[in-house]
Amino acid sequence: MKTRVCIIGGGPSGLLLAQLLHLKGIDNVVLEKHSREYVLARIRAGVLEHGFAKLMREAQCGERMDREGEIHEGFFIADAGQLNRVDLHKYSGGSSVIVYGQTELTRDLYDARERMNGAVIHNAEDVQPHDLTSAAPYVTWRAGDEVKRIDCDFVIGADGFHGVSRKSIPRDVLREYEKVYPSGWLGVLSRTKPVSPELIYARHERGFALCSLRSQVLSRYYIQVPLSDTVEGWSDDAFWAELKRRLPAEVGARLQTGPSIEKSIAPLRSFVAEPMRYGNLFLAGDAAHIVPPTGARGLNSAASDIYYLYHALLAHYQRGDASGLEGYSAKALARVWKAQRFSWWMTMMLHTFPGSSDYDRKLQDTDLAYLFSSEAAMSSLAENYVGLPF
Ligand code: APR
Ligand code: PHB
C-alpha cells in the first residue's frame, strides 16, 4: 500500500486531519488500534472552542454539532457557598464555546470518513513507524497473523498518550515535561436534567466538583478523588451525596440524581513532549501533550496542532512550500504551553490537594477575589477559555 500521509490513531485528532486532507485531495490512511465501537464507547470532555468548531465545519462535519450542540456564553465558579458567573461573552470580545460531547464529535468524524470512503483501518495491531528520518518512511502493522506495510511521505502520530509514535522518537532527542497531581476526577454520566444551564466549577474544602452536561437530558458530573480510589468503591448514592456536599446549598437542593450510565476515574496530569516533529513524523494531540481537564483544553489543544499540520501539508503539496512543516513543532508548542499554563492555573486555583497548606488556600482565596474584582483578570480567563487564536 502507498499513501501520502499515514495517520496513526483514529481519535478526534487523527480523524479530523484525515477528513481535512481528503477534502483537499491529499491521500491519507488512518491506522486505528481498536474497533470503531471501542473508540466510540469512550466518554471524554464536552467543551469546544470556536476554533475547533470552525475546523469541524471546514471538514464538513459540523452540521450535527451546530444543530445539537449548545452555545455557552459563560460558566459559574462556586466557592464558600456562593455562585459567581464568568461572563465569557463580555470578557472575550463576544466569543463563546460549544458544549457538545467529544464522543458525538468523533462519531460525526467517523461517519464523514465512511461517507467519503475514507481509509480507516481498524484493529491495526502492533503499529510501528519505520525510517522516519528517510525520505521514504513506512508503517507496518499486524492484521491477525498477516504483517502489513504502507509506504508514505509523512507519518502523523495522533495515537494519544499511550501510543507508539512519541516512543519512536529517540530518547536523546525527546524531552518530556510532566507534572502529576495527587488526585483524579471521578466522572458520572446520567440521564438526568442538568442542575444548571451553564457549567459550575466548584471549589470546596472536601475537594473540587464540576457540573457539566451533554444535553438538557444528559448530565455529566465530576468530583475530585484520591488517586487510590476505584470506581468500584463509589456507589451512585455515595457519588451523589458527595457531589451535593461540594455544591452551594441552593444548587444541591435542585440536583436531579439518577443511575450512572458511565462512571470512570481519570488521573490529573500535565505533560508536554518536545519536539513535536522527528524527521517525517509529526505528533499531534494527546500523543504530544496532556492537560488536567479543569480548563477544558484537551481536545482544543489538539485542534491547533491539526490546524497547523493541515495548512503545513497543504502548502507542501500545493505549493512545494515546506516552511509550515519546518516550523510546525515550534508553532504548535507555543500554543500548547499556553494551554498548559491555563489548565495548571485553573487546577491549582480550584482544587484542594492533599498536603496543601493554609498559605496555599489563602492564595486560592486571593486568586478568586482578584478574578472577580478585575476586568483584566476576567479577560485573561475568558480569552484562554474560549480559545487563544491559532
Ligand atoms: N496504533 C494505532 N492506534 C493507536 C495506538 C497504536 N499503537 N495507540 C493508541 N491508538 C489510538 C487509540 O485507540 C485512540 O483511538 O489512537 C487514538 C488516540 O485518540 P485520543 O487518545 O482520543 O487522542 P486525540 O485524538 O489526540 O484526542 C485528544 O482525546 O483523550 C482525549 O482529553 C483528550 O480531548 C482530548 C482528545
Ligand atoms: C465535560 O463536560 O466533560 C467537561 C467540561 C468542562 C471541563 C472538563 C470536562 O473543564
Side-chain angles (χ1 to χ4, degrees), residues 8-14 31-34 39 42 44 102 124 127 158-160 162-164 284-287 298-299 302:
I8 304 176
S13 297
L31 294 176
E32 167 52 50
K33 178 179 185 179
H34 293 294
V39 174
R42 294 182 187 127
R44 292 280 175 65
Q102 179 178 313
V127 173
D159 48 349
H162 301 289
V164 65
D286 273 17
L299 183 56

Side-chain angles (χ1 to χ4, degrees), residues 11-323:
S13 297
L15 292 169
L16 178 55
L17 181 60
Q19 183 67 5
L20 288 164
L21 293 175
H22 184 120
L23 290 169
K24 293 294 183 184
I26 299 173
D27 192 43
N28 65 84
V29 173
V30 175
L31 294 176
E32 167 52 50
K33 178 179 185 179
H34 293 294
S35 68
R36 172 173 168 156
E37 294 67 30
Y38 183 97
V39 174
L40 291 176
R42 294 182 187 127
I43 301 296
R44 292 280 175 65
V47 172
L48 307 181
E49 294 177 0
H50 53 89
F52 194 102
K54 201 169 162 208
L55 269 182
M56 283 291 284
R57 297 183 192 110
E58 185 170 351
Q60 297 179 15
C61 297
E63 191 267 334
R64 191 162 72 104
M65 173 192 73
D66 285 329
R67 190 176 69 246
E68 296 179 10
E70 287 190 5
I71 304 286
H72 280 218
E73 297 187 343
F75 63 82
F76 292 95
I77 292 179
D79 180 42
Q82 301 300 314
L83 278 182
N84 288 298
R85 186 167 185 268
V86 174
D87 187 337
L88 293 171
H89 190 263
K90 175 179 178 183
Y91 290 106
S92 69
S95 192
S96 57
V97 292
I98 294 180
V99 172
Y100 184 65
Q102 179 178 313
T103 308
E104 299 319 309
L105 176 142
T106 307
R107 189 189 315 282
D108 297 338
L109 287 163
Y110 266 118
D111 290 347
R113 292 281 67 216
E114 201 168 281
R115 202 168 50 242
M116 298 182 174
N117 295 318
V120 181
I121 296 171
H122 284 283
N123 303 310
E125 298 170 77
D126 303 333
V127 173
Q128 187 60 51
H130 302 271
D131 292 357
L132 290 172
T133 54
S134 79
Y138 65 97
V139 181
T140 57
W141 73 96
R142 208 165 35 77
D145 296 334
E146 192 182 354
V147 176
K148 304 254 186 178
R149 166 172 168 153
I150 188 162
D151 292 87
C152 54
D153 300 333
F154 302 106
V155 180
I156 308 300
D159 48 349
F161 184 67
H162 301 289
V164 65
S165 300
R166 186 177 70 250
K167 298 169 187 139
S168 304
I169 299 179
R171 297 301 306 164
D172 63 343
V173 173
L174 191 69
R175 294 181 305 283
E176 295 180 328
Y177 304 86
E178 185 169 40
K179 179 179 180 61
V180 179
Y181 303 84
S183 301
W185 279 17
L186 167 62
V188 157
L189 195 64
S190 64
R191 294 195 196 291
T192 53
K193 179 169 174 43
V195 74
S196 167
E198 294 180 327
L199 274 61
I200 299 175
Y201 289 80
R203 175 195 179 210
H204 193 278
E205 60 190 10
R206 295 178 64 90
F208 171 83
L210 171 61
C211 302
S212 184
L213 59 122
R214 294 291 178 269
S215 71
Q216 286 310 306
V217 293
L218 193 59
S219 300
R220 180 66 169 169
Y221 295 106
Y222 298 93
I223 56 171
Q224 173 192 349
V225 294
L227 279 175
S228 52
D229 277 15
T230 62
V231 173
E232 297 68 32
W234 279 92
S235 68
D236 286 1
D237 290 347
F239 176 84
W240 293 121
E242 187 57 36
L243 175 63
K244 268 189 183 175
R245 288 189 197 99
R246 301 184 185 186
L247 297 173
E250 99 232 28
V251 178
R254 62 173 191 261
L255 179 67
Q256 195 183 82
T257 65
S260 59
I261 56 174
E262 193 272 349
K263 197 190 292 184
S264 53
I265 295 180
L268 299 184
R269 181 200 313 271
S270 296
F271 173 84
V272 180
E274 294 187 1
M276 288 175 61
R277 175 196 186 178
Y278 175 69
N280 286 311
L281 170 69
F282 296 82
L283 301 182
D286 273 17
H289 42 76
I290 296 284
V291 284
T294 326
R297 295 302 89 201
L299 183 56
N300 296 299
S301 304
S304 48
D305 296 346
I306 296 308
Y307 176 84
Y308 299 140
L309 267 179
Y310 166 52
H311 286 281
L313 289 163
L314 224 47
H316 169 81
Y317 283 113
Q318 292 185 344
R319 304 193 300 276
D321 171 4
S323 62

